Amino acid sequence: MSQALDEIKIGGLGASRKRVEDNRFIRGRGNYTDDIALPGMLHMEILRSPLAHARIKSIDASRAWDIPGVHLVLTGEMMATRNLAWMPTLSYDTQAVLATDKVRFQGQEVACVVADDPYIAKDACEAIEVEYEPLPVIVNPEQAVADGAPVIRDDKDNQRDNVIYDWEVGDAAGTERAFAQADVISKLRLHYPRSHPSPIECCGSIADFNRATSKLTVYMTTQAPHIIRAAVALVAELPEHMIRIISPDIGGGFGNKVPVYPGYVCSILASILLERPVKWIEDKTGNLISTGFARDIYLDGEMALRQDGKILAVRMRCDADHGAFFSDAQPSKFKIGLLHSAFAAYDIPVAHLAARGTYSNKAPGGVAYRCSFRVTEAMFFQERMMQAAADDLGLDQAEFRRMNFVKDADFPHRTPFGFLTDSGQYAKCLDVGLKAIGYEDFRREQAEARKRGRLLGLGISTMTEPLGAGNSREYDILGIKMFDSAELKVHMTGKAIVRTGARTQGQGHETTWAQIVSHELGIPAEDVVVEEGDTDTAPFGMGTYASRSTPVAGAAVAMVARKIRAKARRLAAHLLEVSEEDVEWELGRFYVRSAPDRGVTIQECAMAAYSNMPDGMEPGLENTAYYDPPNLTWPFAVYIVTVEVDPETGVWDVLKLVAVDDCGVRINPMIVEGQIMGGLTEAYAMANMQFITFDAEGNCVGSNYMDYLLPTAWETPGFELHSEVVTPCPHHPIGAKGIGECAAVGGPAAYVNAVMDALSGTGVRNIDMPLLPDRVWEAITYRRDVSGAPPVRSDD
Ligand code: CDP
């Protein structure tokens, strides 16, 4: 009789285990960078530029040096003497660490002061006198490419204009031919505005250079400690084995904590110069105006359609505003990230996409905010375009999507831009969503309400995104391949520690990695401790962003557990005195095939690895696995929102939201639901209230939390989540697909489509996000589209 353990009881796959990390978080016992105080530690503050574009005529720091308690003032000139005024970015560009020649965006780092405490350092920053000569400012791509536009990056030898790249993908001629056959051509133009990840914890670092050992230890808020170690080795020219990067607890990252920021570099240099620990903690405004922005992309597209609703081709053109430095991570050969994952869920024969990136006088932008490298923009455009096309054809929104979906039997499916999607049940997800929202009833109610002047709307958004960057054939960052790793040590009592190269920022890895070990080995999850974030102890990994942890590091955890199980099997055969071929496995136990009652537990095997191994076997039970994913994982989701818009004020309220997510096998259903709710909340904020933009002088408008609103429980709508559709990933060891960002990626279009649906018949085709009441009111009142593109008037 089977003596297999009950997987849910031991906290394995599918168990909604409470998050172990919350034990410390909810008690206020987390250990964030700012909690760390080292003996002799000094504090660093940054002086930022008030202007968006100006030549620096002079910097006089003499008054700052004179302030008691000041130990060091760093300027670009001083950095330049150490070849550190500029640093390489993750996109083969350069970025100023401290400005030397010009400032190129408001909030750019101009000087740093290191002092006994942060208040002295801040006062000393204000004592630095900088003379600026203002230059014309560029805040959008149209201005960037206009005749006579000032060249922002005149520091670069061969840069004659403001264009960073001009790329294309797909079949231009084939798309042209398909458009010639079209019955209807549907068009859409929109701007996906800048948004900011705004983690609750800002960026920061404590650099601690020890002259006696020559070792540099840096505690920092990074989502990718090993990449930072490599970057520090390259930028500061320090030997890699003498650098230790530790990411302690991180209060949210959302992509904001992937880039290398000047503050990190300056604190490191200051510590080396002063031979004392130097702490830099960014303030909220500093974080909002200077660290990695997301989106800021102008999308223009058209769809060739047959009258019956079949999509024949898609053509997209995009202009991406990257700000003053091209600094977001670019993992694919296509320079605008994975924008070409657009329309992957639909069976479209041919497509073409052209993308141009430009510089502007704004902080570096384009980071993947809870998103896989521009997938959010791709999905937003896709679903807004689908809505516009269905409307143009006079077809039902749901039916139009269903008839164009990739069918279940057609996987793996090659998209017109060359991706290979792995699996899915798209129509089933849609059916579950339509039933849950009460589609037919709502449409009737909507028509009735319209007669009485009430504006109801329903928005559908679907998304499939490439998660798990990525296989080493196609993905790298600065040439470093994007595999991940896990190390598993099973102690003699059967307790274990697993370490990965990923780094959780709140996603719950400490809970879920233990569940994977439990699933593979039958060791109770509570007996497995998870450790991440220290480059001296964790195996190499590319970090956590783009929902890549489960697809890559999570897979590595499963693979290393399987290596452990293979050795444990040999130990079991030895203990049971049978050959290895006669040994069978059930959860937590090996047994003799012909005598199932004779068995040994995984814990007994662990003890034998230290006390009773067969002759010639290497002692111990530990191993490491490096996992190079064969493909990306492709989760799918349908989000359906109903809203009511008040025609008098433009205010809109969510009536109901239904989410159907298929992320393959769920490791921890409760954590997955938390991820979806968080994503839908952020999507709601992007669609509804997060306003951060620039005026004609390049002033950042919305650089504080009075203007840039973070959603709270009060305004966030309720969500109805559905988990009944599960399509295991065919190439992931436990069938899991990523989930962390799906709802943030697919959600915005659902809200916007709902509001646009409420406005159908008014002739309004697009309102740019955020759909603030005044924009919706303007659209209703004047029956016109409303653009959100900068520059805005300063008094907006
Ligand atoms: O890379 P990141 O951790 O942000 O994203 P993810 O891999 O999608 O995982 C987010 C959280 O959800 C992690 O704790 C995962 O282990 C968990 N998860 C899960 O329980 N089941 C899945 N199929 C996918 C993720």
Side-chain angles (χ1 to χ4, degrees):
M1 215 185 80
S2 166
Q3 296 177 29
L5 298 173
D6 180 330
E7 180 156 356
I8 299 299
K9 277 200 183 134
I10 64 165
L13 228 53
S16 282
R17 214 184 150 215
K18 283 190 181 158
R19 297 178 5 135
V20 292
E21 41 272 85
D22 289 345
N23 271 330
R24 59 179 192 282
F25 293 152
I26 60 174
R27 289 182 166 85
R29 295 273 173 88
N31 187 34
Y32 299 91
T33 300
D34 202 16
D35 292 325
I36 298 167
L38 301 179
M41 189 170 78
L42 300 171
H43 298 264
M44 189 184 93
E45 291 288 329
I46 296 175
L47 174 69
R48 299 181 180 280
S49 168
L51 300 177
H53 200 194
R55 205 160 291 289
I56 296 177
K57 291 180 77 180
S58 65
I59 299 180
D60 180 359
S62 50
R63 281 180 49 224
W65 277 106
D66 289 344
I67 293 177
V70 168
H71 293 255
L72 181 69
V73 182
L74 286 175
T75 59
E77 202 181 330
M78 285 174 67
M79 301 295 280
T81 62
R82 291 170 173 82
N83 202 20
L84 280 175
W86 291 84
M87 62 180 176
T89 70
L90 297 177
S91 302
Y92 297 95
D93 194 5
T94 48
Q95 173 170 1
V97 178
L98 294 180
T100 46
D101 52 340
K102 290 201 304 192
V103 288
R104 293 174 170 83
F105 66 90
Q106 185 184 54
Q108 187 179 338
E109 299 79 0
V110 175
C112 290
V113 175
V114 181
D116 284 333
D117 68 44
Y119 309 102
I120 298 174
K122 196 97 191 152
D123 287 347
C125 280
E126 279 166 25
I128 299 172
E129 285 162 28
V130 187
E131 203 183 336
Y132 296 104
E133 178 190 317
L135 295 168
V137 169
I138 290 172
V139 293
N140 65 40
E142 202 181 326
Q143 295 172 339
V145 298
D147 286 345
V151 178
I152 295 171
R153 295 301 306 277
D154 49 358
D155 56 289
K156 296 174 81 171
D157 283 346
N158 299 318
Q159 189 77 39
R160 302 272 174 269
D161 55 25
N162 293 312
V163 176
I164 307 171
Y165 57 81
D166 210 337
W167 278 55
E168 58 176 314
V169 64
D171 176 356
T175 304
E176 194 66 49
R177 282 195 297 278
F179 269 82
Q181 308 291 316
D183 296 328
V184 174
I185 294 176
S186 191
K187 298 184 183 195
L188 185 69
R189 177 173 169 76
L190 53 86
H191 176 230
Y192 199 133
R194 276 201 164 205
S195 63
H196 197 276
S198 347
I200 296 292
E201 179 203 27
C202 299
C203 296
S205 55
I206 303 170
D208 183 14
F209 180 68
N210 184 329
R211 173 70 63 202
T213 60
S214 296
K215 185 138 187 172
L216 171 71
T217 303
V218 191
Y219 302 85
M220 69 195 306
T221 51
T222 176
Q223 298 175 226
H226 285 93
I227 301 187
I228 294 286
R229 186 179 65 182
V232 172
L234 293 172
V235 174
E237 293 182 1
L238 291 170
E240 202 174 347
H241 65 299
M242 285 294 160
I243 305 168
R244 180 180 185 188
I245 305 293
I246 301 174
S247 293
D249 286 329
I250 298 184
F254 309 105
N256 185 243
K257 291 172 180 167
V258 175
V260 182
Y261 293 119
Y264 298 154
V265 180
C266 292
S267 67
I268 290 170
L269 180 65
S271 178
I272 292 172
L273 293 175
L274 298 168
E275 296 183 20
R276 287 176 69 172
V278 174
K279 179 190 259 189
W280 163 64
I281 299 292
E282 194 179 49
D283 60 23
K284 288 281 179 200
T285 296
N287 182 265
L288 270 172
I289 63 173
S290 75
T291 61
F293 277 85
R295 332 293 186 222
D296 209 351
I297 191 167
Y298 298 74
L299 290 148
D300 216 340
E302 39 189 357
M303 200 173 240
L305 298 152
R306 222 167 49 198
Q307 194 60 58
D308 64 1
K310 170 72 188 153
I311 303 171
L312 302 176
V314 174
R315 191 151 47 201
M316 278 171 79
R317 160 98 223 156
C318 95
D319 274 305
D321 182 340
H322 286 272
F325 309 107
F326 182 31
S327 68
D328 50 318
Q330 293 291 324
S332 82
K333 303 291 170 269
F334 189 59
K335 279 194 181 175
I336 183 144
L338 303 177
L339 190 75
H340 55 321
S341 61
F343 297 99
Y346 298 105
D347 183 14
I348 296 177
V350 63
H352 182 255
L353 162 59
R356 183 174 60 185
T358 47
Y359 290 117
S360 67
N361 293 116
K362 290 145 83 172
V367 298
Y369 166 17
R370 206 168 184 170
C371 156
S372 285
F373 316 103
R374 299 291 193 175
V375 168
T376 309
E377 293 92 318
M379 291 308 126
F380 184 72
F381 183 77
Q382 167 189 303
E383 289 305 306
R384 293 283 299 114
M385 182 83 244
M386 289 301 286
Q387 165 141 330
D391 281 348
D392 288 345
L393 288 168
L395 291 179
D396 175 79
Q397 290 294 329
E399 279 319 304
F400 177 60
R401 285 174 168 84
R402 187 199 311 279
M403 69 178 288
N404 285 291
F405 274 154
V406 175
K407 308 287 178 289
D408 301 1
D410 293 343
F411 290 102
H413 168 76
R414 182 70 67 184
T415 76
F417 294 128
F419 289 100
L420 195 66
T421 54
D422 58 4
S423 60
Q425 302 176 68
Y426 300 168
K428 188 172 173 191
C429 289
L430 182 64
D431 287 342
V432 171
L434 293 176
K435 186 161 175 242
I437 203 84
Y439 191 63
E440 300 300 337
D441 288 346
F442 183 83
R443 288 294 186 207
R444 271 192 293 276
E445 197 189 326
Q446 182 182 26
E448 282 302 312
R450 188 57 78 88
K451 289 181 201 154
R452 296 191 302 278
R454 281 176 62 207
L455 299 178
L456 302 188
L458 181 146
I460 301 176
S461 174
T462 76
M463 74 101 232
T464 182
E465 62 164 334
L467 292 185
N471 68 69
S472 60
R473 290 183 312 282
E474 292 169 286
Y475 299 91
D476 65 66
I477 292 181
L478 297 181
I480 306 168
K481 303 295 184 187
M482 299 201 70
F483 57 85
D484 259 285
S485 56
E487 176 198 81
L488 178 58
K489 293 185 176 180
V490 183
H491 308 309
M492 68 174 83
T493 56
K495 316 287 182 201
I497 177 165
V498 62
R499 293 190 172 105
T500 83
R503 182 60 185 129
T504 187
Q505 312 119 43
Q507 297 92 327
H509 296 177
E510 288 171 47
T511 309
T512 48
W513 294 169
Q515 292 186 247
I516 297 175
V517 174
S518 233
H519 170 71
E520 295 291 338
L521 294 177
I523 296 175
E526 63 186 25
D527 289 351
V528 183
V529 69
V530 175
E531 198 184 278
E532 294 180 331
D534 182 341
T535 56
D536 264 11
T537 54
F540 187 89
M542 289 297 273
T544 292
Y545 38 87
S547 291
R548 61 186 301 280
S549 303
T550 301
V552 197
V557 174
M559 298 312 276
V560 73
R562 288 176 192 182
K563 286 186 180 180
I564 296 284
R565 198 167 69 203
K567 183 167 181 185
R569 176 185 292 276
R570 286 191 278 135
L571 285 157
H574 169 68
L575 293 175
L576 295 165
E577 297 177 336
V578 292
S579 73
E580 217 187 307
E581 292 70 46
D582 294 330
V583 171
E584 291 286 341
W585 167 255
E586 61 184 2
L587 192 65
R589 177 178 178 265
F590 292 100
Y591 61 89
V592 180
R593 185 176 306 121
S594 56
D597 286 345
R598 279 191 61 216
V600 284
T601 63
I602 187 76
Q603 288 81 3
E604 287 166 327
C605 294
M607 183 57 81
Y610 294 85
S611 60
N612 180 16
M613 55 281 186
D615 285 348
M617 181 187 272
E618 189 180 339
L621 195 55
E622 52 189 68
N623 219 318
T624 305
Y626 285 81
Y627 186 78
D628 182 5
N631 189 4
L632 300 150
T633 71
W634 293 83
F636 182 76
V638 171
Y639 304 117
I640 308 181
V641 181
T642 53
V643 297
E644 174 151 16
V645 179
D646 180 346
E648 302 292 323
T649 62
V651 170
W652 52 278
D653 289 315
V654 172
L655 303 174
K656 186 169 178 180
L657 186 151
V658 168
V660 186
D661 277 88
D662 177 4
C663 61
V665 172
R666 295 183 177 204
I667 303 164
N668 183 320
M670 185 175 66
I671 287 185
V672 167
E673 291 199 349
Q675 294 287 311
I676 297 167
M677 289 185 192
L680 290 171
T681 304
E682 282 179 89
Y684 176 68
M686 285 177 228
N688 187 325
M689 58 206 237
Q690 285 187 341
F691 181 61
I692 191 161
T693 187
F694 295 82
D695 68 12
E697 276 76 50
N699 294 309
C700 182
V701 181
S703 60
N704 60 68
Y705 290 120
M706 297 295 284
D707 297 323
Y708 192 69
L709 304 179
L710 296 188
T712 67
W714 189 77
E715 57 269 310
T716 302
F719 309 125
E720 183 180 307
L721 308 187
H722 289 261
S723 56
E724 48 267 62
V725 190
V726 177
T727 316
C729 175
H731 59 80
H732 187 279
I734 57 166
K737 303 180 181 185
I739 186 65
E741 56 203 30
C742 296
V745 166
Y751 296 107
V752 176
N753 280 348
V755 175
M756 297 312 299
D757 185 59
L759 268 53
S760 64
T762 60
V764 178
R765 203 163 174 82
N766 185 56
I767 306 174
D768 281 337
M769 290 192 292
L771 271 61
L772 302 166
D774 62 310
R775 290 188 185 181
V776 178
W777 178 86
E778 182 183 331
I780 295 171
T781 309
Y782 300 107
R783 295 184 166 244
R784 66 181 180 215
D785 287 7
V786 181
S787 160
V792 294
R793 291 195 325 269
S794 301
D795 56 353
D796 268 4

